[in-house]
Amino acid sequence: MGMLKNDQGILLVVSGPAGVGKGTLCRELMAQAGDLEYSVSVTTRAPRPKEQEGREYYFRSREEFERMIEGRELLEWAEFCGNYYGTPLFHVQKVLAEGRTILLEIDIQGAKQVKQVFPQGVFIFIAPPSFETLSERLHKRGTEPEEVIQKRLKTAEGELRQIQAYDYIVENDRIDLAVEKLRSIIIAEGCRVKNNLIV
Amino acid sequence: MGMLKNDQGILLVVSGPAGVGKGTLCRELMAQAGDLEYSVSVTTRAPRPKEQEGREYYFRSREEFERMIEGRELLEWAEFCGNYYGTPLFHVQKVLAEGRTILLEIDIQGAKQVKQVFPQGVFIFIAPPSFETLSERLHKRGTEPEEVIQKRLKTAEGELRQIQAYDYIVENDRIDLAVEKLRSIIIAEGCRVKNNLIV
């Protein structure tokens, strides 16, 4: 009945320094926004117990993954600890074609790759309220030795200077406020003239 | 304490065809969003009882108003029924400099003028859910003869084709949903990288 139609879904790229809390924010956002789809990655690592093909990951062999790289079937990819991880284009395109929003949580290097292939995405940078907070969070995790943490903090400082490539910046001070901002960005982007057709 | 600072307020221009309900939406938005400032117009018409200088309008003589036009002190202006009405730049600039958001509710012609002087504003087009609804609303008002209503509907049809000049389009189907969209746009715009400084 309405005169407007969202003809195309939105690719929401949520990125930021390690330890900034983007994982927590995205999980909370997914829990609150029912119509949001999560981008499922492809990996060459072996499935863990209870992991399901197409839910946690798409599991592929190295040969299959390398064929996807060559065929430009990945929005971005990287190698960690001997395994490939990447974002398959087919899943993103499928969700967008249905007019739905898809959420991609990714590190800064990955976001840079996505921006090259998919500049029409909405790029959100999650910022720590301060470097002290980021340092605290990285220490609290307790998973990394001090020198790795120091390196991460140095990286984060450099990354903060790259925010000009992003559309939005959301400070992760209080989770509820940050999630409200992310939800508002989704609603606002759905109202953008370029995302609407008059029918 | 945070690393981000909204260094500049946002000029929110809410426009749309006559009868689309933008007045109602803006009043509701003002009631809900406490930190929002309303743009007060300048006029040459005489104050009505209970109207206060600087609240409903700034009241000026024709000579003073014409001096403001010449001095480019108005974001836009028009003449209705022998009186001038305009948006004074000084009030908008004052609010923006304080880092606050200012709301300007205005017709399509006025919005066009504002866009020329202040392209960095956020331009929101309020659309009727359908032409049938717009027609109904204009008839319900009961303030205008049929031929004026028909002319307004024809104008609205032409105006809808101008939405490419706007940033956002919000369908005024249900008031509560439309107001939520306007609020989301304000929050999202506050998160835009270009509206934030890293301090």
Side-chain angles (χ1 to χ4, degrees), chain A residues 28-173:
Chain A
E28 188 55 32
L29 181 65
M30 288 298 297
Q32 288 186 25
D35 48 350
L36 199 60
E37 187 87 8
Y38 199 84
S39 168
V40 177
S41 297
V42 193
T43 183
T44 56
R45 82 152 165 73
R48 293 179 189 145
K50 291 192 184 166
E51 283 186 340
Q52 267 179 30
E53 162 76 11
R55 194 180 64 186
E56 282 79 10
Y57 286 100
Y58 294 103
F59 298 97
R60 296 288 182 272
S61 68
R62 288 189 74 86
E63 295 67 40
E64 287 170 320
F65 199 102
E66 284 164 359
R67 224 177 294 137
M68 289 181 89
I69 297 174
E70 281 163 35
R72 298 176 180 274
E73 294 170 40
L74 298 169
L75 264 180
E76 57 76 41
W77 63 275
E79 203 170 356
F80 290 115
C81 309
N83 284 309
Y84 285 131
Y85 293 83
T87 304
L89 201 51
F90 72 84
H91 186 218
V92 171
Q93 284 174 328
K94 180 179 154 282
V95 176
L96 294 183
E98 292 164 359
R100 288 183 299 141
T101 297
I102 183 161
L103 176 65
L104 177 56
E105 178 208 332
I106 200 167
D107 67 17
I108 308 245
Q109 287 309 313
K112 234 184 196 172
Q113 286 185 57
V114 176
K115 175 103 183 180
Q116 282 166 5
V117 184
F118 210 87
Q120 66 271 47
V122 173
F123 292 80
I124 305 174
F125 190 96
I126 308 295
S130 70
F131 278 109
E132 292 73 41
T133 319
L134 188 61
S135 172
E136 264 173 45
R137 285 183 191 168
L138 287 170
H139 281 100
K140 255 197 222 155
R141 276 196 197 177
T143 50
E144 290 151 336
E146 183 60 27
E147 60 177 66
V148 174
I149 292 180
Q150 287 309 321
K151 213 181 135 194
R152 280 201 191 282
L153 285 173
K154 217 165 173 59
T155 307
E157 218 181 313
E159 286 169 341
L160 261 179
R161 280 185 228 112
Q162 300 182 28
I163 62 159
Q164 295 309 324
Y166 287 76
D167 301 298
Y168 298 97
I169 181 160
V170 169
E171 201 170 56
N172 189 14
D173 186 359

Side-chain angles (χ1 to χ4, degrees), chain B:
Chain B
M1 168 60 186
M3 290 169 80
L4 295 180
K5 194 175 163 287
N6 268 114
D7 58 327
Q8 180 69 0
I10 296 159
L11 172 64
L12 212 67
V13 181
V14 173
S15 188
V20 80
K22 52 185 183 297
T24 311
L25 284 185
C26 285
R27 271 191 299 278
E28 189 56 31
L29 181 65
M30 288 296 298
Q32 287 186 26
D35 48 351
L36 199 59
E37 188 86 8
Y38 200 82
S39 169
V40 178
S41 298
V42 193
T43 183
T44 56
R45 84 150 165 72
R48 293 180 189 143
K50 292 192 184 166
E51 283 187 341
Q52 267 179 32
E53 162 76 11
R55 194 180 63 186
E56 282 79 10
Y57 285 101
Y58 295 102
F59 297 98
R60 296 290 183 271
S61 68
R62 286 190 74 86
E63 294 68 39
E64 287 170 319
F65 198 102
E66 284 164 359
R67 225 176 293 136
M68 290 180 87
I69 298 175
E70 282 164 34
R72 297 175 180 275
E73 293 170 41
L74 298 170
L75 265 179
E76 57 78 38
W77 64 274
E79 202 171 357
F80 291 116
C81 310
N83 284 307
Y84 285 131
Y85 293 83
T87 304
L89 202 51
F90 72 85
H91 186 217
V92 171
Q93 283 174 329
K94 181 179 155 283
V95 176
L96 295 182
E98 292 164 0
R100 289 183 299 141
T101 296
I102 183 161
L103 176 65
L104 177 56
E105 178 209 332
I106 198 166
D107 67 16
I108 308 245
Q109 287 309 313
K112 235 185 195 171
Q113 286 185 57
V114 176
K115 176 104 182 176
Q116 282 166 6
V117 184
F118 210 87
Q120 66 270 46
V122 173
F123 292 79
I124 305 175
F125 190 95
I126 308 295
S130 70
F131 278 108
E132 292 73 41
T133 319
L134 188 62
S135 171
E136 264 173 46
R137 285 183 190 165
L138 287 171
H139 282 100
K140 255 197 222 154
R141 278 195 196 177
T143 51
E144 289 151 338
E146 183 60 27
E147 61 178 64
V148 174
I149 292 180
Q150 288 309 322
K151 213 180 134 195
R152 280 201 192 282
L153 285 173
K154 217 167 173 58
T155 306
E157 218 181 312
E159 285 169 342
L160 260 179
R161 279 184 228 112
Q162 301 181 28
I163 62 159
Q164 296 308 324
Y166 287 76
D167 301 299
Y168 298 97
I169 182 161
V170 169
E171 200 170 56
N172 190 13
D173 185 0
R174 274 177 49 190
I175 290 184
D176 56 344
L177 291 181
V179 170
E180 194 203 353
K181 286 176 181 173
L182 292 174
R183 294 190 62 178
S184 295
I185 290 169
I186 296 174
I187 294 173
E189 284 291 326
C191 294
R192 291 195 83 86
V193 167
K194 66 175 163 68
N195 291 328
N196 282 277
L197 271 184
I198 295 190
V199 289

